Protein backbone atom coordinates (compact mmCIF):
# COMPACT_ATOMS: atom_id res chain seq x y z
CA UNK A 1 0.00 0.00 0.00
CA UNK A 2 2.95 2.33 -0.45
CA UNK A 3 1.08 5.31 -1.86
CA UNK A 4 1.50 9.09 -1.59
CA UNK A 5 2.47 9.41 2.02
CA UNK A 6 5.23 6.86 1.73
CA UNK A 7 6.53 8.64 -1.37
CA UNK A 8 7.05 11.77 0.70
CA UNK A 9 9.62 9.79 2.61
CA UNK A 10 11.90 8.90 -0.31
CA UNK A 11 15.54 8.86 0.62
CA UNK A 12 17.20 11.97 -0.69
CA UNK A 13 20.74 13.19 -0.40
CA UNK A 14 19.75 15.71 2.24
CA UNK A 15 18.43 13.13 4.66
CA UNK A 16 20.92 13.14 7.52
CA UNK A 17 22.63 9.99 8.67
CA UNK A 18 20.84 10.14 12.02
CA UNK A 19 17.49 10.22 10.33
CA UNK A 20 18.43 7.26 8.15
CA UNK A 21 19.29 5.24 11.21
CA UNK A 22 15.91 5.95 12.70
CA UNK A 23 14.00 4.65 9.73
CA UNK A 24 14.00 1.26 8.15
CA UNK A 25 15.09 1.16 4.50
CA UNK A 26 12.93 -0.50 1.90
CA UNK A 27 14.00 -2.41 -1.15
CA UNK A 28 12.66 0.24 -3.55
CA UNK A 29 14.75 3.01 -2.00
CA UNK A 30 11.88 4.56 -0.04
CA UNK A 31 11.95 4.60 3.73
CA UNK A 32 9.32 3.75 6.29
CA UNK A 33 9.07 5.29 9.71
CA UNK A 34 7.56 2.93 12.29
CA UNK A 35 4.15 4.40 13.03
CA UNK A 36 1.48 4.22 15.74
CA UNK A 37 -2.06 5.19 14.75
CA UNK A 38 -4.35 5.96 17.68
CA UNK A 39 -7.94 7.12 18.17
CA UNK A 40 -8.81 9.85 20.63
CA UNK A 41 -9.26 7.78 23.80
CA UNK A 42 -12.49 8.26 25.82
CA UNK A 43 -13.95 11.12 23.76
CA UNK A 44 -16.92 9.35 22.12
CA UNK A 45 -18.71 6.58 24.00
CA UNK A 46 -16.91 7.51 27.25
CA UNK A 47 -17.95 11.19 26.86
CA UNK A 48 -14.73 12.85 28.04
CA UNK A 49 -14.51 16.63 27.51
CA UNK A 50 -12.84 17.40 24.15
CA UNK A 51 -10.99 20.58 25.21
CA UNK A 52 -9.37 18.77 28.12
CA UNK A 53 -8.67 15.65 26.05
CA UNK A 54 -7.00 17.67 23.27
CA UNK A 55 -4.68 19.38 25.79
CA UNK A 56 -3.70 15.97 27.16
CA UNK A 57 -3.09 14.56 23.67
CA UNK A 58 -0.80 17.50 22.82
CA UNK A 59 1.16 17.22 26.08
CA UNK A 60 1.52 13.45 25.76
CA UNK A 61 2.60 13.62 22.11
CA UNK A 62 5.18 16.37 22.89
CA UNK A 63 6.51 14.31 25.76
CA UNK A 64 6.90 11.23 23.53
CA UNK A 65 8.62 13.20 20.74
CA UNK A 66 11.09 14.74 23.17
CA UNK A 67 11.96 11.43 24.85
CA UNK A 68 11.98 9.00 21.92
CA UNK A 69 13.89 9.89 18.79
CA UNK A 70 12.29 7.48 16.34
CA UNK A 71 8.71 6.58 15.53
CA UNK A 72 5.78 8.56 14.23
CA UNK A 73 2.35 9.14 15.79
CA UNK A 74 -0.93 9.57 13.92
CA UNK A 75 -4.19 10.63 15.56
CA UNK A 76 -7.08 9.17 13.56
CA UNK A 77 -10.80 9.89 13.42
CA UNK A 78 -13.54 8.88 11.03
CA UNK A 79 -14.87 12.23 9.85
CA UNK A 80 -13.54 15.46 8.38
CA UNK A 81 -15.95 17.14 10.81
CA UNK A 82 -14.19 15.59 13.83
CA UNK A 83 -14.17 18.14 16.66
CA UNK A 84 -11.27 16.47 18.48
CA UNK A 85 -9.13 16.39 15.31
CA UNK A 86 -9.63 20.10 14.67
CA UNK A 87 -8.82 21.01 18.29
CA UNK A 88 -5.67 18.90 18.22
CA UNK A 89 -4.56 20.25 14.82
CA UNK A 90 -4.89 23.85 16.01
CA UNK A 91 -3.03 23.18 19.27
CA UNK A 92 -0.27 21.20 17.52
CA UNK A 93 0.31 24.08 15.10
CA UNK A 94 0.40 26.60 17.95
CA UNK A 95 2.97 24.50 19.79
CA UNK A 96 5.06 23.92 16.66
CA UNK A 97 4.93 20.16 17.00
CA UNK A 98 7.08 18.42 14.36
CA UNK A 99 4.66 17.72 11.49
CA UNK A 100 6.77 14.85 10.19
CA UNK A 101 6.47 12.96 13.47
CA UNK A 102 2.89 13.81 14.45
CA UNK A 103 0.03 13.86 11.97
CA UNK A 104 -3.73 13.81 12.09
CA UNK A 105 -5.58 11.61 9.62
CA UNK A 106 -9.21 11.17 8.62
CA UNK A 107 -10.13 7.55 7.92
CA UNK A 108 -11.01 4.19 9.39
CA UNK A 109 -8.22 2.94 11.66
CA UNK A 110 -8.78 -0.59 10.33
CA UNK A 111 -8.15 0.46 6.70
CA UNK A 112 -5.28 2.92 6.94
CA UNK A 113 -2.99 1.09 4.54
CA UNK A 114 -5.47 -0.21 1.96
CA UNK A 115 -7.71 2.87 1.82
CA UNK A 116 -5.63 5.67 3.31
CA UNK A 117 -2.22 4.83 1.82
CA UNK A 118 -0.74 5.19 5.29
CA UNK A 119 1.14 2.19 6.65
CA UNK A 120 0.75 2.02 10.42
CA UNK A 121 2.60 -0.84 12.07
CA UNK A 122 0.87 -0.45 15.41
CA UNK A 123 -2.70 0.65 16.08
CA UNK A 124 -4.25 1.57 19.42
CA UNK A 125 -7.70 0.46 20.50
CA UNK A 126 -10.00 2.41 22.86
CA UNK A 127 -10.87 -0.78 24.73
CA UNK A 128 -13.30 -1.77 27.51
CA UNK A 129 -12.12 -3.15 30.85
CA UNK A 130 -13.01 -6.73 29.93
CA UNK A 131 -11.01 -6.55 26.68
CA UNK A 132 -14.06 -7.91 24.88
CA UNK A 133 -15.07 -7.42 21.24
CA UNK A 134 -18.18 -5.45 20.33
CA UNK A 135 -19.63 -2.50 22.21
CA UNK A 136 -19.43 -0.17 19.21
CA UNK A 137 -16.85 2.47 18.34
CA UNK A 138 -13.28 1.71 17.45
CA UNK A 139 -13.19 -1.40 19.68
CA UNK A 140 -15.89 -3.17 17.65
CA UNK A 141 -14.24 -2.13 14.37
CA UNK A 142 -10.76 -3.38 15.35
CA UNK A 143 -11.95 -6.74 16.70
CA UNK A 144 -14.10 -7.24 13.59
CA UNK A 145 -11.28 -6.40 11.18
CA UNK A 146 -8.66 -8.43 13.06
CA UNK A 147 -10.79 -11.58 13.33
CA UNK A 148 -10.54 -14.26 16.01
CA UNK A 149 -6.75 -14.13 16.01
CA UNK A 150 -6.86 -10.89 18.02
CA UNK A 151 -9.29 -12.29 20.59
CA UNK A 152 -7.13 -15.35 21.13
CA UNK A 153 -3.87 -13.39 21.31
CA UNK A 154 -5.46 -10.88 23.72
CA UNK A 155 -6.69 -13.64 26.07
CA UNK A 156 -3.15 -15.05 26.24
CA UNK A 157 -1.81 -11.72 27.53
CA UNK A 158 -4.50 -10.28 29.81
CA UNK A 159 -8.02 -10.81 31.17
CA UNK A 160 -8.87 -7.26 32.16
CA UNK A 161 -7.46 -3.73 32.00
CA UNK A 162 -7.41 -0.96 34.62
CA UNK A 163 -8.34 2.60 33.61
CA UNK A 164 -5.19 4.49 32.61
CA UNK A 165 -3.30 1.39 31.47
CA UNK A 166 -2.63 -0.47 28.22
CA UNK A 167 -1.49 -3.85 26.93
CA UNK A 168 0.36 -4.55 23.68
CA UNK A 169 -0.73 -7.57 21.65
CA UNK A 170 1.47 -8.92 18.85
CA UNK A 171 -0.95 -9.65 16.01
CA UNK A 172 -0.67 -13.19 14.57
CA UNK A 173 0.20 -13.19 10.86
CA UNK A 174 -3.04 -15.09 10.20
CA UNK A 175 -5.06 -11.98 11.09
CA UNK A 176 -6.61 -10.15 8.12
CA UNK A 177 -5.48 -6.87 9.73
CA UNK A 178 -1.87 -8.12 9.53
CA UNK A 179 -2.25 -9.40 5.98
CA UNK A 180 -4.24 -6.52 4.45
CA UNK A 181 -3.06 -3.59 6.51
CA UNK A 182 0.42 -4.68 7.66
CA UNK A 183 -0.50 -4.10 11.31
CA UNK A 184 1.90 -6.03 13.56
CA UNK A 185 0.59 -5.00 17.01
CA UNK A 186 -2.64 -3.79 18.58
CA UNK A 187 -2.31 -1.87 21.85
CA UNK A 188 -5.50 -1.96 23.92
CA UNK A 189 -5.88 1.18 26.05
CA UNK A 190 -8.51 1.84 28.71
CA UNK A 191 -9.31 5.51 29.23
CA UNK A 192 -11.43 7.22 31.90
CA UNK A 193 -15.19 6.83 31.57
CA UNK A 194 -17.53 9.82 32.03
CA UNK A 195 -20.62 8.01 30.71
CA UNK A 196 -23.03 7.00 33.53
CA UNK A 197 -24.29 4.12 31.35
CA UNK A 198 -20.84 2.46 31.30
CA UNK A 199 -18.88 0.76 34.12
CA UNK A 200 -16.63 2.80 36.47
CA UNK A 201 -18.12 6.20 35.64
CA UNK A 202 -16.10 9.03 37.21
CA UNK A 203 -19.21 11.22 37.60
CA UNK A 204 -17.63 14.36 36.21
CA UNK A 205 -14.55 14.13 38.43
CA UNK A 206 -12.13 15.70 35.94
CA UNK A 207 -9.31 15.89 38.47
CA UNK A 208 -9.23 12.09 38.47
CA UNK A 209 -10.34 11.84 34.82
CA UNK A 210 -7.44 13.95 33.51
CA UNK A 211 -4.96 11.99 35.59
CA UNK A 212 -6.30 8.71 34.21
CA UNK A 213 -6.28 9.98 30.61
CA UNK A 214 -2.66 11.18 30.97
CA UNK A 215 -1.70 7.77 32.36
CA UNK A 216 -3.51 6.06 29.47
CA UNK A 217 -1.53 7.99 26.84
CA UNK A 218 1.81 7.60 28.59
CA UNK A 219 1.23 3.86 28.94
CA UNK A 220 0.23 3.67 25.24
CA UNK A 221 3.29 5.61 24.04
CA UNK A 222 5.63 3.65 26.34
CA UNK A 223 4.31 0.41 24.89
CA UNK A 224 4.83 1.75 21.36
CA UNK A 225 8.38 2.86 22.25
CA UNK A 226 9.22 -0.65 23.53
CA UNK A 227 7.91 -2.20 20.32
CA UNK A 228 10.06 -0.01 18.07
CA UNK A 229 13.24 0.01 20.13
N1 LIG B 1 -11.57 4.43 12.94
C1 LIG B 1 -11.05 5.57 13.49
N2 LIG B 1 -11.61 6.20 14.53
C2 LIG B 1 -12.74 5.70 15.04
C3 LIG B 1 -13.34 4.51 14.53
C4 LIG B 1 -12.70 3.88 13.43
N3 LIG B 1 -13.18 2.75 12.88
N4 LIG B 1 -14.47 4.26 15.26
C5 LIG B 1 -14.56 5.24 16.19
N5 LIG B 1 -13.53 6.11 16.06
P1 LIG B 1 -14.91 5.25 21.07
P2 LIG B 1 -14.20 5.65 23.91
C6 LIG B 1 -13.19 7.28 16.92
O1 LIG B 1 -16.35 5.49 21.36
O2 LIG B 1 -14.88 6.98 23.95
C7 LIG B 1 -16.50 0.96 23.14
O3 LIG B 1 -17.77 0.46 23.17
C8 LIG B 1 -14.34 8.05 17.55
O4 LIG B 1 -14.90 8.99 16.63
O5 LIG B 1 -14.57 4.09 20.20
O6 LIG B 1 -12.84 5.50 24.52
C9 LIG B 1 -15.53 0.19 24.05
O7 LIG B 1 -15.91 -1.15 24.19
C10 LIG B 1 -13.62 8.73 18.71
O8 LIG B 1 -12.93 9.88 18.24
O9 LIG B 1 -14.05 5.05 22.42
C11 LIG B 1 -15.59 0.95 25.35
O10 LIG B 1 -16.61 0.43 26.18
C12 LIG B 1 -12.58 7.68 19.13
O11 LIG B 1 -12.48 6.78 18.03
C13 LIG B 1 -15.96 2.37 24.94
O12 LIG B 1 -16.55 2.29 23.65
C14 LIG B 1 -12.92 6.90 20.40
O13 LIG B 1 -14.29 6.59 20.40
C15 LIG B 1 -14.74 3.27 24.84
O14 LIG B 1 -15.18 4.59 24.59
Amino acid sequence: CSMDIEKENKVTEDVGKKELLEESSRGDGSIHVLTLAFPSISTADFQFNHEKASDIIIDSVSDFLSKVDNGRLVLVDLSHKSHILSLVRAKAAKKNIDQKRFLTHVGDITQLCSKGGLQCDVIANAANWRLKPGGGGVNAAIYKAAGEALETATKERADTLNPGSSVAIPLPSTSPLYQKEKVTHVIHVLGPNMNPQRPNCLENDYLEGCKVLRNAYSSLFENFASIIQ
Side-chain angles (χ1 to χ4, degrees), residues 39-47 76-78 84 107-109 126-128 134-139 141 198:
S40 169
I41 307 295
S42 292
T43 54
D45 193 39
F46 279 177
Q47 301 179 0
V76 182
D77 202 355
L78 284 169
I84 193 79
D108 185 332
I109 202 163
N128 51 62
V138 77
N139 183 70
R198 298 284 175 267

Side-chain angles (χ1 to χ4, degrees), residues 38-48 50 75-79 82-85 105-112 124-143 189-193 195 198-199 213:
F38 65 101
S40 169
I41 307 295
S42 292
T43 54
D45 193 39
F46 279 177
Q47 301 179 0
F48 198 93
H50 287 196
L75 175 65
V76 182
D77 202 355
L78 284 169
S79 162
S82 165
H83 182 224
I84 193 79
L85 278 195
H105 180 85
V106 175
D108 185 332
I109 202 163
T110 65
Q111 299 186 321
L112 291 173
N125 177 28
N128 51 62
W129 75 278
R130 285 179 188 277
L131 293 166
K132 288 281 184 246
V138 77
N139 183 70
I142 290 176
Y143 271 103
V189 191
L190 183 62
N193 172 36
N195 178 352
R198 298 284 175 267
L213 192 59

Side-chain angles (χ1 to χ4, degrees), residues 10-23 31 100:
K10 279 244 175 239
V11 181
T12 63
E13 281 168 6
D14 359 65
V15 176
K17 197 173 172 201
K18 185 168 167 280
E19 234 171 296
L20 277 175
L21 288 173
E22 288 167 0
E23 296 155 337
I31 48 174
K100 279 197 198 136

